[in-house]
Amino acid sequence: MSELRNGLEPKPVGFVLGLDVGSSVIRCHVYDRTARVCGSSAQKVENIYPQAGWVEIDPDVLWTQFVTVIKDAVKAAGIQMSQVIGLGISTQRATFITWNRKTGKHFHNFISWQDQRGIELVKSCNNSLMMKLFHSSCRLVYFFTRSKRFLFGSRFTFTTQQASLRLAWILQNMPEVQKAVEEENCCFGTVDTWLLHKLTKGSAYATDFSNASATGLFDTYKMCWSGFLTFLASIPLSVLPPIKDTSHHFGSVDEEIFGVPIPVVALVGDQQSAMFGECCFQPGDVKLTMGTGTFLDINIGSCASFNSSGFYPLIGWKIGQEVVCLAESNAGDTGTAIQWAQQLDLFTDASETEKMAASLEDSEGVYFVPSFSGLQAPLNDPCTCASFMGLKPSTSKAHLVRAILESIAFRNKQLYETMQKEIHIPVTKVRLLEGQGRAKETEAK
């Protein structure tokens, strides 16, 4: 009405909010009906390091930032909240929190996917007699049935990046959480689940298939929480949320937050959303994302059947009857290595690194191992430490920077070669995404 009084043509209803809650940045984009970005806002995510190997995020700070970027993006678009018809949320995966089912109060900070506190549990569980019996049983059943599900089971191991054994660590070390579980008063949620809970003021509790499949507790063949994996990790099924389609009416934002009820119509993991956004819809389509870590994903069609020790199966998305499966592998420290080097004053801005590296013919035999959170595929060693090798009296800042950049390239090449060796699906195209969402496409040769 105010627009009419001022002689302006009112903007039509029909805008959608796209939220991306990553490991480094929270972003909100406002899209119109033609998918044009009308307004944006972003804030940096602050990680907390309580002690060596621990990585956390303050949930109260994250919630405040989340609400703020939405309000700022809507303001930047020059629209009203009443014109927003829905929002979708893409989130970092396997970062989780637990909270009191009755009061909604969280028991601890978010435990990041980069957190290493579960490393001893991972080693213990993977080397346990129960895991060895599980592997042997799966090999035996596979011999008779040739079911790929049991072939995958014969190779399955827990990793520190999955939420499973970090959650087990919380259950073992926080009496308050233990008591809540015993009283069936504990909720577990990855970032998407917790934000949904907060947005709806507790009326909605759910996750989607893409996020669930990245926890280490999901059976991608049966499309549900795995009773056996939860048993191995000593996690009660009662704490896990219901799983819904990626595109689903999860509930509406409580009116008190933005003044109007806005439907929450999609939840999705960040790497899966990148696959979808880059139109990697066909088997053989590949996406390589370089952000906090490097993630290499290949579309493997509607069945999660493949034989690989370096890649693991994920649900890309489920929309109605359509299920798209991915095989994924990653290197945990890409942007992390750049940020670390900047904190050491090797440069003042990341844009300087290209010029520094190009000023040299080579790294003069200096190499960097980018493994602040261990080395993932194909080595899968959570205990590997980040390190420089080949240092000399002549080594300069430029040599160190070049070695860091080369380490990222080496890890990307290593992941791609592992994919070519273990995933027997012809690569059709490769989409490369840099930290700020810039994309390039390379046709497979």
Side-chain angles (χ1 to χ4, degrees):
M1 293 298 291
S2 62
E3 291 172 315
L4 290 174
R5 284 195 299 268
N6 294 328
L8 301 174
E9 182 180 348
K11 293 187 177 182
V13 175
F15 295 87
V16 175
L17 304 181
L19 280 299
D20 176 24
V21 185
S23 304
S24 304
V25 179
I26 300 177
R27 295 186 182 89
C28 178
H29 298 302
V30 180
Y31 298 92
D32 66 13
R33 289 183 179 273
T34 64
R36 180 176 65 93
V37 176
C38 305
S40 300
S41 179
Q43 289 200 13
K44 182 180 178 182
V45 174
E46 295 293 340
N47 289 313
I48 303 168
Y49 305 93
Q51 56 180 278
W54 291 24
V55 187
E56 300 180 358
I57 300 171
D58 186 319
D60 296 322
V61 173
L62 188 73
W63 171 245
T64 300
Q65 292 178 309
F66 184 80
V67 172
T68 299
V69 296
I70 291 177
K71 291 180 177 179
D72 289 350
V74 169
K75 182 179 180 180
I79 65 171
Q80 303 298 316
M81 285 291 183
S82 59
Q83 294 174 272
V84 177
I85 60 173
L87 65 85
I89 307 172
S90 162
T91 57
Q92 55 178 292
R93 305 160 311 172
T95 293
F96 74 89
I97 194 169
T98 62
W99 65 91
N100 186 296
R101 190 184 300 271
K102 295 177 182 177
T103 67
K105 181 181 178 182
H106 51 80
F107 294 120
H108 51 82
N109 287 337
F110 275 108
I111 310 300
S112 169
W113 62 274
Q114 295 180 297
D115 189 279
Q116 294 287 295
R117 74 188 67 191
I119 189 169
E120 293 303 322
L121 279 176
V122 169
K123 290 191 291 186
S124 174
C125 191
N126 287 340
N127 293 322
S128 68
L129 176 60
M130 183 64 73
M131 183 65 83
K132 292 175 182 177
L133 288 173
F134 174 59
H135 286 165
S136 298
S137 299
C138 285
R139 283 194 293 268
L140 181 62
V141 175
Y142 172 71
F143 178 79
F144 290 104
T145 66
R146 291 308 188 201
S147 169
K148 292 293 181 68
R149 180 182 177 217
F150 293 103
L151 178 60
F152 173 74
S154 70
R155 293 170 172 264
F156 175 82
T157 56
F158 289 108
T159 73
T160 57
Q161 291 188 343
Q162 296 164 342
S164 50
L165 293 183
R166 281 180 285 119
L167 174 57
W169 188 96
I170 290 292
L171 296 179
Q172 291 180 17
N173 290 275
M174 294 192 68
E176 187 180 10
V177 180
Q178 292 175 1
K179 182 179 179 182
V181 170
E182 292 169 1
E183 297 173 350
E184 296 190 352
N185 191 32
C186 179
C187 289
F188 159 89
T190 43
V191 177
D192 59 306
T193 303
W194 184 79
L195 288 175
L196 176 66
H197 173 82
K198 292 285 287 184
L199 286 168
T200 61
K201 292 203 170 178
S203 67
Y205 178 52
T207 188
D208 92 298
F209 285 95
S210 68
N211 280 289
S213 66
T215 60
L217 299 170
F218 184 82
D219 188 330
T220 54
Y221 294 86
K222 297 181 71 174
M223 294 291 287
C224 63
W225 295 118
S226 169
F228 189 75
L229 293 180
T230 54
F231 170 75
L232 278 179
S234 301
I235 294 170
L237 281 167
S238 61
V239 306
L240 304 178
I243 307 171
K244 306 294 183 182
D245 282 9
T246 304
S247 177
H248 176 78
H249 191 294
F250 288 90
S252 292
V253 179
D254 190 278
E255 288 188 41
E256 290 186 9
I257 299 176
F258 299 120
V260 293
I262 301 173
V264 181
V265 295
L267 299 177
V268 63
D270 54 2
Q271 301 308 318
Q272 291 95 324
S273 70
M275 284 287 284
F276 192 94
E278 291 305 320
C279 302
C280 295
F281 300 140
Q282 303 302 319
D285 289 352
V286 172
K287 178 274 305 172
L288 178 71
T289 304
M290 288 173 284
T292 301
T294 291
F295 289 83
L296 182 65
D297 296 83
I298 179 170
N299 185 323
I300 57 173
S302 60
C303 181
S305 296
F306 65 94
N307 178 19
S308 172
S309 57
F311 279 67
Y312 47 90
L314 292 174
I315 304 303
W317 52 85
K318 183 179 183 297
I319 303 174
Q321 297 301 310
E322 179 193 20
V323 177
V324 172
C325 298
L326 312 177
E328 180 178 280
S329 193
N330 78 334
D333 298 293
T334 302
T336 307
I338 301 298
Q339 291 174 345
W340 172 77
Q342 186 173 355
Q343 291 168 1
L344 291 184
D345 294 326
L346 294 183
F347 49 84
T348 56
D349 189 272
S351 61
E352 301 170 19
T353 58
E354 180 180 6
K355 184 177 180 180
M356 293 176 71
S359 68
L360 304 169
E361 287 188 12
D362 54 46
S363 64
E364 205 177 66
V366 177
Y367 293 94
F368 180 66
V369 181
S371 55
F372 294 104
S373 54
L375 277 177
Q376 294 73 43
L379 301 175
N380 297 314
D381 184 356
C383 299
T384 302
C385 297
S387 59
F388 279 106
M389 293 178 285
L391 297 177
K392 308 172 185 66
S394 59
T395 299
S396 66
K397 285 186 177 182
H399 290 110
L400 299 179
V401 168
R402 178 159 180 143
I404 291 171
L405 295 182
E406 287 181 344
S407 76
I408 295 171
F410 292 150
R411 286 293 284 132
N412 289 350
K413 182 174 184 289
Q414 199 173 36
L415 292 177
Y416 191 81
E417 288 178 343
T418 302
M419 180 187 70
Q420 288 184 310
K421 177 182 178 182
E422 298 190 356
I423 308 297
H424 303 295
I425 296 176
V427 175
T428 53
K429 67 180 179 183
V430 179
R431 296 284 290 178
L432 308 178
L433 281 82
E434 301 168 10
Q436 299 301 316
R438 294 182 294 271
K440 300 177 182 178
E441 180 172 321
T442 303
E443 294 297 330
K445 294 183 180 180

